[in-house]
Amino acid sequence: MAEIPQQRKENKLIEQISSKFEIEGTVQRDRRVWVTTSKDNLIALCRFAKRLGFHHLSAISVTDWPQEKIFELTYHLWSYSARILLTVKTKIDRADPKIDSAIPIFQENAQIHERELHELFGVQFEGNSDLTPLFLEDWDGPPPFRKDFNWRDYVRQKYYDRSNEREKPYWE
Amino acid sequence: MVKQAIKMKRLIKAIWVFNWFNSCGFAEVVPIAGSRWDMERFGIILTGTPRHADVLFIAGYQTFKSMKRAQRICEQMADPKAVIALGACTMSGGMYWDSYNTVKRVSDYIPVNIYVPGCPPRPEALFEACEKIFQHVRAMQ
């Protein structure tokens, strides 16, 4: 019943955004819109989306692509009025992972996600004044969610003693 | 020592317990507070603050962050006190043995008196651990 107007809503959203920014947009299915943009446009796009009603930043996530040498950042924005989940994607350099903070737009909504991603992936959110560790107090290893971090090896070296008879099975 | 033992024996009608539970540790041990296992018939009572507690229950996997808090709680408890570690994860990391953020040997961080193994430990095993505390006090010279 509501299928056709809903489709129009999503296509209209992509049109609205692409009139202002360089994007690649697709409608994944009902109420799910994916938008890929460049790193520089990201914050301006988020601000624009917020003006369109996307007030809720439900999550920020990072995907590590070690072969391509990039981090893919995904911002999930939800609109309570249009009831559409807008997924904004961008790519940043893995060797120099810096991105502007979304705090000026989403305030506390963004804070906890940025803090966590800084801790787990080492992404620098520029403009965020409080990137203190969230779960990993006194952590001295590399950011643990990076694909090239061999956590099992790290744990063995740090916590287990090969010469201890009871801890030998952990080394096998 | 004799005087203290007499005093302790007079006092030990019940042990007051403070819980430090992470993750599933809480869900698996909480039935002992219900009517089926009913820990109060053995004189085990939950308390809201570590300063009133005789016994600290630690359950669930412990992260390094939570272990710091557990140490603080343990320091706040008045002597005489006992620490009981419940379940495989607390004692050795359990299935999280290769996690970078769980405690591998709990006794490195906190003085543990009794280990109750199991995943989860049976309520009966927990009662036996508490009974050992009563027995210990009764046998004091």
Side-chain angles (χ1 to χ4, degrees), chain B residues 10-23:
Chain B
R10 207 183 301 144
L11 280 174
I12 187 115
K13 301 277 195 301
I15 52 176
W16 288 27
V17 169
F18 187 77
N19 292 336
W20 183 248
F21 289 164
N22 271 10
S23 63

Side-chain angles (χ1 to χ4, degrees), chain A residues 49-81:
Chain A
K50 196 182 179 188
R51 232 177 288 140
L52 292 180
F54 291 85
H55 292 287
H56 186 174
L57 174 68
S58 32
I60 309 174
S61 52
V62 173
T63 319
D64 189 4
W65 300 100
Q67 277 90 41
E68 289 88 341
K69 295 192 169 45
I70 51 161
F71 283 132
E72 191 175 30
L73 271 84
T74 313
Y75 289 67
H76 305 272
L77 310 177
W78 175 252
S79 166
Y80 289 100
S81 49

Side-chain angles (χ1 to χ4, degrees), chain B residues 104-130:
Chain B
K104 311 297 182 294
R105 283 176 232 96
V106 71
S107 49
D108 287 358
Y109 299 88
I110 201 165
V112 178
N113 299 89
I114 302 174
Y115 293 96
V116 184
C119 181
R122 291 289 304 165
E124 291 83 0
L126 222 153
F127 292 142
E128 199 185 336
C130 291

Side-chain angles (χ1 to χ4, degrees), chain A residues 50 102-112:
Chain A
K50 196 182 179 188
I103 288 206
I105 311 166
F106 296 106
Q107 285 89 29
E108 262 59 53
N109 220 187
Q111 166 63 23
I112 198 83

Side-chain angles (χ1 to χ4, degrees), chain A residues 1-169:
Chain A
M1 188 184 76
E3 202 174 309
I4 297 158
Q6 185 64 37
Q7 278 290 325
R8 272 189 212 139
K9 245 185 193 175
E10 284 129 12
N11 290 329
K12 199 183 155 216
L13 175 68
I14 291 179
E15 268 168 41
Q16 268 179 320
I17 297 173
S18 57
S19 66
K20 293 233 176 189
F21 303 99
E22 283 274 310
I23 57 153
E24 276 174 49
T26 51
V27 179
Q28 286 294 315
R29 57 182 174 90
D30 273 5
R31 305 180 192 286
R32 296 291 183 274
V33 178
W34 284 13
V35 160
T36 309
T37 184
S38 74
K39 176 190 167 186
D40 303 321
N41 276 341
L42 179 87
I43 293 305
L45 199 153
C46 285
R47 186 167 278 128
F48 179 68
K50 196 182 179 188
R51 232 177 288 140
L52 292 180
F54 291 85
H55 292 287
H56 186 174
L57 174 68
S58 32
I60 309 174
S61 52
V62 173
T63 319
D64 189 4
W65 300 100
Q67 277 90 41
E68 289 88 341
K69 295 192 169 45
I70 51 161
F71 283 132
E72 191 175 30
L73 271 84
T74 313
Y75 289 67
H76 305 272
L77 310 177
W78 175 252
S79 166
Y80 289 100
S81 49
R83 296 213 269 159
I84 290 175
L85 189 75
L86 175 66
T87 303
V88 184
K89 294 183 173 201
T90 188
K91 285 167 183 160
I92 59 172
D93 186 12
R94 201 170 177 280
D96 183 30
K98 281 183 185 159
I99 185 103
D100 286 334
S101 170
I103 288 206
I105 311 166
F106 296 106
Q107 285 89 29
E108 262 59 53
N109 220 187
Q111 166 63 23
I112 198 83
H113 300 302
E114 292 190 353
R115 217 172 128 189
E116 186 186 11
L117 294 175
H118 173 71
E119 166 181 276
L120 298 177
F121 288 94
V123 178
Q124 280 291 342
F125 290 91
E126 292 184 320
N128 190 329
S129 57
D130 180 22
L131 288 173
T132 47
L134 186 60
F135 304 115
L136 305 173
E137 286 181 357
D138 308 326
W139 176 255
D140 55 359
F145 272 30
R146 288 194 183 189
K147 285 260 168 76
D148 54 7
F149 172 53
N150 189 342
W151 38 272
R152 189 165 278 167
D153 214 41
Y154 174 89
V155 168
R156 280 196 190 114
Q157 299 293 344
K158 191 159 180 186
Y159 301 112
Y160 293 113
D161 180 9
R162 197 198 283 266
S163 58
N164 186 336
E165 193 58 40
R166 292 171 67 189
E167 290 175 4
K168 238 181 202 166

Side-chain angles (χ1 to χ4, degrees), chain B residues 1-133:
Chain B
M1 191 60 213
V2 177
K3 234 181 197 174
Q4 201 193 345
I6 293 167
K7 201 176 161 193
M8 282 289 293
K9 274 181 209 175
R10 207 183 301 144
L11 280 174
I12 187 115
K13 301 277 195 301
I15 52 176
W16 288 27
V17 169
F18 187 77
N19 292 336
W20 183 248
F21 289 164
N22 271 10
S23 63
C24 63
F26 175 76
E28 300 294 354
V29 177
V30 91
I32 67 160
S35 61
R36 181 158 182 177
W37 278 286
D38 190 15
M39 62 192 211
E40 290 198 14
R41 68 198 156 127
F42 298 117
I44 309 163
I45 300 162
L46 288 180
T47 169
T49 155
R51 288 168 198 271
H52 294 164
D54 306 311
V55 172
L56 176 65
F57 281 175
I58 303 185
Y61 62 79
Q62 296 297 320
T63 63
F64 295 114
K65 187 171 179 174
S66 80
M67 210 59 213
K68 276 194 199 169
R69 278 72 181 168
Q71 281 169 336
R72 240 189 206 188
I73 288 167
C74 193
E75 281 163 17
Q76 285 184 14
M77 285 163 60
D79 278 328
K81 63 188 170 192
V83 178
I84 303 186
L86 309 170
C89 285
T90 321
M91 290 154 54
S92 65
M95 65 185 281
Y96 304 103
W97 67 272
D98 58 355
S99 165
Y100 51 83
N101 200 26
T102 56
V103 167
K104 311 297 182 294
R105 283 176 232 96
V106 71
S107 49
D108 287 358
Y109 299 88
I110 201 165
V112 178
N113 299 89
I114 302 174
Y115 293 96
V116 184
C119 181
R122 291 289 304 165
E124 291 83 0
L126 222 153
F127 292 142
E128 199 185 336
C130 291
E131 181 56 28
K132 282 197 172 133
I133 295 172

